[in-house]
Amino acid sequence: MSPTGTPLLAFEDVSVTYRTSGGEVPAVRDVDLTVASGEVVGVAGESGCGKSTLASTILRLQPPTAKVTGRVIFEGEDVQTMKWGALRALRWAGASMVFQGALHSLNPVQRVGAQIAEPIELHQPSLTEARVRSMVGDLLEQVGLPAARARAYPHQLSGGQRQRVMIAMALACGPRLIVADEPTTALDVMVQAQVLGVLEGLVRELDVGLLMISHDLSVLAELCDRIAVMYAGRVIEHGPADKVFSDPLHPYAAALSASFPRIGDPAARYAPAGLAGDPPDPAELPAGCSFHPRCPKRFDQCDTVEPELRWPAETRSREAACLLVGPS
């Protein structure tokens, strides 16, 4: 599940379980995935499929009730075994995060310039106030905002402008990896396109890695080099973004792709596709393939056999966890 060369980030057999009063609940199961410098990798799936939990392991942000197994390797070092000093240096300067919902992530009573300046001041305490202020202005201009907006409070900015502020904060300390968790949620399509354009331009210009989390396969297909589709905590399909979106191998990936109507497509207009039901409760996963209760292509063996990721015989660039996908 990796391109050629040494990856910037690698998940190696990563699983995350939460301790609850009813026992351990698996949120992420046996994930292998990589991100290289200058590469955009997408993680897709419905709410509750484990996308954000997986992302939280990169900066060790999971709560005390979480247990992580496997390895999360960033630039050759396992994040889960880092000492506190190394982890503190990793956050912001090595990898940073653009959280979902900028209005809830920004401090409403503090000017946005001060919030962008905070990580710079923490990681580079020797800088003068004037230099930090200049860097904040440069960061805002880098994401398409006037430097003067540094004096604004979050409520004085539009949704797209607040999201750009979040991206500027993520870039403040020159990270090599950016994790964007649903960065375009609740934005209109025009602003969404602008924000995605900013992210893509920064990745290519600065040669940083980007892990993009979204439920919207069409967004990921536009921005990403590769996409991993998650369901019930597992990666159930992985491959080039255009192929996963236009010609998915797994029935769940096909349902995700079909759930977004295509302009000019009569089939989508007159018979919009969807998927009944919800992802399974992680505490009560069904036997066999986790997707089989909702799968339109299920057969008897799906009730008892949980398929592993397999390469189709005709290609080595894609893989899917489905019994309908024959091994090479």
Side-chain angles (χ1 to χ4, degrees):
M1 257 191 159
S2 65
T4 57
T6 302
L8 177 69
L9 171 73
F11 297 102
E12 297 181 354
D13 198 25
V14 173
S15 296
V16 183
T17 57
Y18 291 108
R19 296 188 303 274
T20 70
S21 57
E24 291 194 343
V25 176
V28 172
R29 300 186 290 149
D30 308 319
V31 170
D32 292 286
L33 189 64
T34 63
V35 182
S37 295
E39 183 183 34
V40 184
V41 176
V43 180
E46 295 168 279
S47 296
C49 288
K51 308 184 301 297
S52 295
T53 295
L54 178 67
S56 73
T57 64
I58 300 170
L59 296 175
R60 227 159 79 190
L61 297 177
Q62 60 273 8
T65 55
K67 175 185 176 184
V68 181
T69 59
R71 301 204 307 162
V72 182
I73 307 297
F74 182 79
E75 294 187 326
E77 189 172 357
D78 189 352
V79 175
Q80 298 302 311
T81 60
M82 278 183 180
K83 294 183 178 179
W84 171 245
L87 180 62
R88 186 175 182 273
L90 167 65
R91 294 173 176 174
W92 294 104
S96 60
M97 202 157 188
V98 180
F99 291 98
Q100 179 178 348
L103 185 60
H104 305 294
S105 301
L106 294 171
N107 188 333
V109 297
Q110 191 176 38
R111 299 182 194 275
V112 297
Q115 298 184 60
I116 298 172
E118 183 177 0
I120 300 175
E121 293 167 345
L122 286 172
H123 284 268
Q124 302 180 67
S126 62
L127 294 178
T128 65
E129 183 178 341
R131 176 57 181 149
V132 171
R133 188 163 55 247
S134 173
M135 291 175 68
V136 168
D138 290 344
L139 286 165
L140 287 172
E141 291 178 353
Q142 196 171 20
V143 298
L145 288 176
R149 301 306 280 167
R151 293 190 55 77
Y153 290 95
H155 73 272
Q156 295 174 313
L157 303 176
S158 69
Q161 289 174 328
R162 287 193 293 265
Q163 203 63 55
R164 288 169 188 252
V165 168
M166 291 291 294
I167 297 171
M169 289 177 66
L171 293 171
C173 296
R176 279 88 69 195
L177 173 72
I178 299 173
V179 182
D181 189 354
E182 299 275 10
T184 58
T185 298
L187 300 179
D188 65 67
V189 291
M190 292 298 291
V191 176
Q192 175 177 282
Q194 293 168 6
V195 171
L196 293 176
V198 168
L199 281 170
E200 182 177 24
L202 291 171
V203 168
R204 308 309 181 194
E205 177 186 346
L206 303 176
D207 197 37
V208 300
L210 174 62
L211 183 68
M212 176 85 171
I213 297 171
S214 179
H215 62 278
D216 191 334
L217 263 184
S218 61
V219 166
L220 296 179
E222 181 70 23
L223 182 66
C224 298
D225 301 301
R226 293 181 290 123
I227 294 176
V229 180
M230 291 187 69
Y231 188 81
R234 295 184 66 210
V235 173
I236 51 86
E237 181 163 349
H238 168 258
D242 57 337
K243 294 295 185 181
V244 172
F245 180 64
S246 63
D247 184 27
L249 298 173
H250 196 285
Y252 177 66
L256 274 185
S257 178
S259 65
F260 299 95
R262 293 169 172 81
I263 296 174
D265 183 353
R269 179 179 178 185
Y270 296 111
L275 188 62
D278 298 303
D281 183 343
E284 299 179 359
L285 293 175
C289 175
S290 300
F291 183 60
H292 86 260
R294 305 170 71 192
C295 184
K297 298 183 178 181
R298 64 182 178 271
F299 52 95
D300 290 347
Q301 198 175 1
C302 299
D303 298 350
T304 56
V305 177
E306 183 171 36
E308 298 296 324
L309 281 167
R310 299 192 287 185
W311 303 95
E314 67 275 10
T315 177
R316 295 293 293 178
S317 64
R318 306 175 65 188
E319 54 189 349
C322 180
L323 296 176
L324 295 172
V325 177
S328 58

